[in-house]
Amino acid sequence: MPDCKNKRRGDVMLEFTLVGIPLIFILISVVEMARGMWTYHTLAHAVKEGTRYAIVHGYNCSLAPNNCQVTVAQIAQRVREAGVGLMPNELRIELRSEGDTVLCSTLDNCLTNNNFWPVYPNSQIGQRVTINGTYPFRSAIAMFWPGAGGGMNFGTFLLPASSTETIQF
Amino acid sequence: MRHRKNRKRGQILVMVTLALFMMAGIMGLAVDLGWSYFTKKSAQTAADAAALAAAEAAFAAESDEDANSTYDCGTEVACVPLSQCPSPIPNPPTNNIEVGCLYAKQNGFQVQPGGRQNVTMNSGNTPNPPTVPGVTVYYWATARVAEGIPQLFSSMLGNTLNLASARATGAIIDSTIAGSLILLNRERDCVPMNLGSQPICGVDLLVQANNNQGMDAVRADGGVLMASVLNGTNDPSGEGNYSGENQGGGLVRAPFTFIRGDGTVSLGGSSQWIQSPTNGFSDRSYFRDPMRGKGSPPPPAPGLQDIPIMGGALMGSNDPNNPTIYSPGNYYAVKQVGGTLVPTGDPLTMSGYLKFQADSDGFGDWVFFGGLRNQSAGTVMTVDPGRYVIAGVRSNGNNVTPGFDIQVNMSITDNGPPNAAPAPSNAGEIFIFTDPTYLGGPAGDIPLTIPVALQNSPVLNDLKFGISGFQTGNNADIQVNIHGLNRDSGALPAELKDFTPVVMWQDQQNSVIQYTPRGYIDNSCGNLDPQQGCANSALDNAASTEMFFKASPSLHIYGTVYQPRGAFTSMIGAGGYDSPLMIIAGALMVHANSNVRLQELDSPLYVKMVALVE
């Protein structure tokens, strides 16, 4: 009996090692994939909302009696409001019309940019505007990568999203 | 030990169960969120479609009746408080709001008893839509679309339903037209613009001029738009033409040049084009005739006095301070035959100092049958604000003659200030170049009233389209100073408001392309190429499609010069044209030492259209 009992010592540890590690890996992977998709969907929604906002505030907004021109800051604010959970100091967006581009290295930088956008002649009805956004996604899966190192030095993915629409007003 | 071993049994089960809960939860959250975004996007599409469709339906219903409509609330144009779309939606719909509801349904959203979707609409003709401050409209329709989404994960927290909603407002608005030079001819539109030789197809801007006296060959401060897609290799005529050809060594300068499709420009010798043109644009609205859908400027209302002119001589005084007054009326030349005045169809000839004086309301109507010309040098024609119709001119054999010939030194002035477009303080002028068959109005069905004497005369059939514009000749003393229609003037007749700030209008029927009465390109002939349009078989002579500004006059024309697609404008000679002016033409040829600078207008050209404003 003592022999038999001693032989079973370590079984649980071995089983846990064989089953637990892949299980934890799968668990973290699923969670991280879901988190990544969540972040991506939010980013895509945010740039879409920003673009939708810009296309109904085109050149005609600048003509009296209309008074509805919008600034880079207002569009950036729209993106911020739609991007719930996205950190403005990590979100990078690019406002692109057919003739000019405004680059926000972070959304924060554009929240104080009071230049009108898009500007004539790129603000005419029928012109296209595009908002590109990128957001860093640091995944815990990266810790399984060889050479990932210890601590929280995980790899970073840049999630991209883009929305293009035609100016309506 | 057995006890301890038994206690460890089932640990994995617990761990897996907990892990599965966590995985399912986080996956559910991601799915919930993703589905919500997807549903919101779909709802936005449906709301956009519903709002636009409702406004479009109101626009179409009202435009059938009156282009100057104020969109009064009624049967077809509904003004409704916030209310649900009917279920079921009547088909065909009974008003424009139900049209919007149908569009929402076609995009997947409708009101159903017990359903999770909701579609509501409201509309009105107040100038400011309630949800869109800062925007002025004629009519608006707002659609709200929502759907409740059952939650997978959030329901565990008691949140069983998430609401995805969207809102959009469509409106009938006044929108401006961009560009100082809008050139409409397409690759298969052939016009005799090369100084009368073979027709040229698909060249929108042909510059054969150099820079002179500090002026660029062509300068368009408001930009250039060209509708032809030619790039030298895709010319159906085999001529290797380009959308734009700058051949004279001069500079074409514009803040932007947008070319449809693959169209490009060619530069000969030292010619330049700054800024470089941009092509690749799809067939957008601004490559089409901006006047489409407006019809044509209405002719004067019936009742205008008939004024026969013996020998066609419009005699002026010798005193510039007391010019001979000519009241509004239908003017035509006559001769006396046996005690009866018989129309001759000849041009009306002017001499001395004349003034065409408006009525007390500040606006007048004049129609000239047979064309206008001046008899002697030094003639000064002063024009009050009004509508001046040049209704046909007799051709000279196979040669088309000018509708308004001022080759002999003559001035035309409204005494308005320089560099103001449109007229700053009055209703301004519009010169309509047409023939006696002219049909105007929003539906293109209001005929020009012909004097009874002319109706019964065989000469009426001799009056055809002349060359539009002023035949100025090579005379530097010629002065033309006229200002286009002013939409802000109370004296401007309401039916002309849609045509401000036009100063010169060439009849759309004076084109090699067939236009519909409402001003659209006619494709009813079944042409397989929708870009080509139908040929205008009623046109007598393609040479009449020309509008010209020739030689070296001092032209100060302020406003918009309009001619239809399938026509062309010539600037030839040593004239320097520098004023707030927008040219809408089939094509433009700038030749010899001519130079043109088109400054931006103070008051731009507006078109009424439907757009999303929210």
Side-chain angles (χ1 to χ4, degrees), chain A residues 5 8 16 27 38 41-42 45 52 59-60 63 65-68 98 120-121 124-128 168-169, chain B residues 1 5 15 23 29 33-34 37 40 44 48 134 136 173 175-176 178 222 256 281 284 286 611-612 614:
Chain A
K5 193 169 63 180
R8 287 188 179 175
F16 182 81
L27 175 63
W38 183 349
H41 282 145
T42 304
H45 173 67
R52 178 66 173 65
Y59 179 55
N60 279 295
L63 296 172
N66 300 325
N67 181 24
C68 53
E98 294 193 29
Y120 180 84
Q124 301 166 67
I125 289 177
Q127 295 283 83
R128 286 185 296 260
Q168 301 289 317
F169 180 64
Chain B
M1 290 304 294
K5 191 173 70 182
M15 288 171 62
M23 283 192 293
L29 203 59
L33 192 83
Y37 286 148
K40 180 171 172 55
Q44 187 68 62
D48 289 354
T136 302
I173 59 165
S175 179
T176 57
F256 64 89
F281 293 99
R284 302 175 187 183
Y286 49 67
L612 274 180
E614 181 199 22

Side-chain angles (χ1 to χ4, degrees), chain B residues 440-479:
Chain B
D445 57 357
I446 304 174
L448 187 66
T449 302
I450 310 290
V452 175
L454 262 177
Q455 288 177 26
N456 301 324
S457 169
V459 302
L460 184 65
N461 293 330
D462 294 341
L463 303 183
K464 306 293 185 184
F465 291 125
I467 293 174
S468 304
F470 305 108
Q471 170 73 52
T472 45
N474 189 16
N475 195 322
D477 292 331
I478 287 176
Q479 300 278 337

Side-chain angles (χ1 to χ4, degrees), chain A residues 43-166:
Chain A
L43 176 63
H45 173 67
V47 297
K48 165 87 177 167
E49 284 291 301
T51 310
R52 178 66 173 65
Y53 185 64
I55 63 166
V56 292
H57 294 88
Y59 179 55
N60 279 295
C61 272
S62 64
L63 296 172
N66 300 325
N67 181 24
C68 53
Q69 259 188 306
V70 291
T71 62
V72 171
Q74 287 172 290
I75 295 170
Q77 181 63 27
R78 193 77 169 197
V79 172
R80 180 183 180 178
E81 289 169 2
V84 177
L86 302 180
M87 303 301 292
N89 60 349
E90 295 192 352
L91 173 58
R92 176 189 172 96
I93 64 168
E94 180 187 65
L95 313 180
R96 176 172 290 182
S97 68
E98 294 193 29
D100 72 323
T101 300
V102 176
L103 185 63
C104 306
S105 54
T106 69
L107 191 65
D108 273 341
N109 291 344
C110 277
L111 289 171
T112 54
N113 184 339
N114 290 318
N115 293 324
F116 289 122
W117 191 87
V119 292
Y120 180 84
N122 308 307
S123 55
Q124 301 166 67
I125 289 177
Q127 295 283 83
R128 286 185 296 260
V129 295
T130 298
I131 297 183
N132 298 313
T134 53
Y135 191 75
F137 177 67
R138 295 179 188 86
S139 171
I141 304 174
M143 73 174 144
F144 293 102
W145 286 3
M152 296 296 288
N153 186 23
F154 300 154
T156 298
F157 302 91
L158 279 179
L159 295 175
S162 180
S163 176
T164 299
E165 295 200 44
T166 302

Side-chain angles (χ1 to χ4, degrees), chain B residues 345-348 367-372 389-395 401-404 432-438 448 460 462-466:
Chain B
D346 292 333
L348 295 147
V367 184
F368 303 102
F369 294 91
L372 279 168
V389 182
I390 317 298
V393 60
R394 182 181 277 141
S395 60
T401 49
F404 202 153
I432 301 172
F433 295 88
T434 181
D435 71 2
T437 66
Y438 183 68
L448 187 66
L460 184 65
D462 294 341
L463 303 183
K464 306 293 185 184
F465 291 125

Side-chain angles (χ1 to χ4, degrees), chain B residues 30-31 100 105 188 225 233 505:
Chain B
V31 170
K105 180 183 177 184
R188 289 186 172 83
L225 299 164
T233 62
W505 177 278

Side-chain angles (χ1 to χ4, degrees), chain B residues 27-40:
Chain B
M27 280 195 298
L29 203 59
V31 170
D32 283 350
L33 192 83
W35 184 246
S36 294
Y37 286 148
F38 173 77
T39 306
K40 180 171 172 55

